[in-house]
Each structure stands twice: as C-alpha cells, then as structure tokens.
Amino acid sequence: MNEEILRIANQLILWPLCSVVVIISLVQAILISRLANKTAVSLGISKDTCKKAFRAGLLTAIGPAISGFIVMVGMISVIGAPMSWMRLSIIGAATTEMAGAQFGAEAMGVKFGGPDYNEVALIVSWITMALNGCGWLLSATILSSKLEILRHKISGGNQAGLALLSAASMVAVFGNLSSGYLPKIDTAASVLSAAAVMFILLRYVSKTKIGKNIREYNLGIAMISGMIVAVIVKMIIGG
C-alpha cells in the first residue's frame, strides 16, 4: 500500500468531518430510544420490561459489533481510520463496505489496495461507499410511512401469520448471504459445530434457574459463543 495514500486517508481534518455523521447517528439513537420509552408508557408497558429489553438488545449487539471491529482493522490499512470508523458506525455491514470500496477501485481500473491504488482511486472508493448506502436511506425515508399500510394488507388481521412471514423472510435473506461460504469445508464445519454446541447448551441451561433468569440474553450469548466455537473449529481444521 502506498504510504502517501495512507497519509492522505488518515489526515487529522478527516476526524472532525467524519464525526459529524457519527454524532448524527448517536442523536438519532437517543431520540428513537426516548420515543420508544414514551410509546411504551402509552401502551402500558412497565419500565422494568423496557430495561430488560434494552439490556437484551445491548448484549445482542455485541456480536455484530465485534465482527465489524475486526473488519474495520483491515479497512483502516486501505481506506484510512476516519472513513472506516464513520462507515462502520452508520452502516455496520463490513462486507458491504469492502465491496463498495473494491467497486470504486475497479471503476478506476486498479486493484483495491494494490501498488497502483492512488489518491484518485481512494476518493472514488469513498464516493462509492457513500452512494452504496444512499439507497437504504432513501428507502427508509420514502417507504417507512407506507410500511404500516402494507403490513395490515399482508397480515389481514392475522398477527401470527405476519410474524411467521417475517421470520421466514429473515431466514431466506441470511441463508442467501451465507450460502456462498458453506461449500468451504472449514467454514461449514465451524458453523455446524457452533450451532450444535449452542443448541445443546441452551437446551439444558434454559431448564435451570440461571437459564430462566438470562433467557432474554439467549440470542446475544448464542452469537458470541457461536463465534468463539466457530473460530476454534476453523483453527483446528485449517491448521
């Protein structure tokens, strides 16, 4: 990697510029949390229930945050620390961000992070990453108010059916995203081993008194433990 490119990508002026976007996201998170608490009061949901939901969500977010942080370390060496920090703070999809950066480099006819990756290619990678996220922002802005109408039409008053449809859609989406990795023996074995270990562990722990007390944290615990088991298995198989 060209040292001059890294110097440009890590200029001090970029930190306050990138922090503007991160601060906006933080303010949005605070406002949404306040709105959720107000709505909970109007619906008669207790504060204790809200606190449990917040703690469960906080723990569940640790798994994706760890994976994002690991990839961010690699991104820093190519697109700089400020931009990596900003993009993964608002998007969180490290794979998508890396793909956007690579597409930008390919549009300039150079290899991403290669010796011919110059300052122009770096800027194009930044622009591609930004434009790559605009579709989601526009969709959320334009379609959010319409989704409730669509939800009522699809469910037809059957809330259980809507929940089942939502779960099936999520399984299909993430299954499609993960399907490309499964043909690799080490990855497939890691995933299956992690899933088996967590299934057996949670099946027995959930019946105990401790398991009942930490039930709302099951998803977060499963994600973090699954990552650890997957890494161990992959290290053993991969040598």
Side-chain angles (χ1 to χ4, degrees):
M1 186 67 180
N2 193 328
E3 293 295 330
E4 179 63 18
I5 300 301
L6 286 178
R7 187 190 67 80
I8 295 174
N10 290 291
Q11 290 185 82
L12 184 61
I13 187 62
L14 291 175
W15 286 103
L17 293 176
C18 292
S19 67
V20 173
V21 178
V22 178
I23 291 173
I24 292 174
S25 299
L26 179 61
V27 171
Q28 287 178 328
I30 294 173
L31 292 176
I32 291 174
S33 297
R34 291 179 59 185
L35 179 61
N37 286 327
K38 290 181 179 179
T39 304
V41 173
S42 64
L43 294 175
I45 301 176
S46 66
K47 290 185 178 181
D48 185 57
T49 301
C50 293
K51 289 180 179 179
K52 288 183 178 180
F54 182 82
R55 289 197 300 267
L58 184 64
L59 183 61
T60 303
I62 294 177
I66 292 175
S67 63
F69 176 78
I70 293 173
V71 176
M72 184 176 69
V73 174
M75 289 179 62
I76 288 174
S77 64
V78 184
I79 65 171
M83 187 61 65
S84 299
W85 171 57
M86 184 193 75
R87 295 305 305 172
L88 293 180
S89 294
I90 61 175
I91 300 298
T95 305
T96 301
E97 293 303 297
M98 290 294 287
Q102 290 175 354
F103 289 153
E106 292 173 1
M108 295 301 298
V110 300
K111 182 180 179 181
F112 179 60
D116 52 353
Y117 188 72
N118 55 27
E119 62 271 14
V120 176
L122 174 67
I123 299 301
V124 174
S125 291
W126 287 356
I127 294 174
T128 306
M129 292 164 68
L131 292 176
N132 190 37
C134 287
W136 302 334
L137 296 175
L138 291 174
S139 298
T141 303
I142 298 172
L143 300 177
S144 292
S145 60
K146 312 295 181 183
L147 290 179
E148 184 66 15
I149 300 174
L150 180 63
R151 187 180 73 86
H152 281 296
K153 289 184 177 181
I154 293 178
S155 64
N158 186 354
Q159 297 299 322
L162 181 61
L164 182 61
L165 177 63
S166 300
S169 300
M170 293 297 291
V171 170
V173 169
F174 285 103
N176 180 62
L177 292 174
S178 304
S179 60
Y181 298 97
L182 291 179
K184 299 179 181 179
I185 297 178
D186 56 346
T187 304
S190 301
V191 172
L192 293 175
S193 300
V197 169
M198 291 313 304
F199 175 78
I200 296 172
L201 182 62
L202 291 177
R203 181 178 180 181
Y204 288 99
V205 173
S206 61
K207 297 178 181 179
T208 65
K209 183 178 180 180
I210 297 177
K212 293 179 180 179
N213 293 332
I214 63 172
R215 183 175 299 170
E216 63 265 29
Y217 307 118
N218 278 354
L219 179 58
I221 294 173
M223 292 174 65
I224 296 173
S225 302
M227 290 172 62
I228 295 173
V229 173
V231 169
I232 294 174
V233 173
K234 189 169 184 177
M235 289 175 61
I236 295 174
I237 296 178

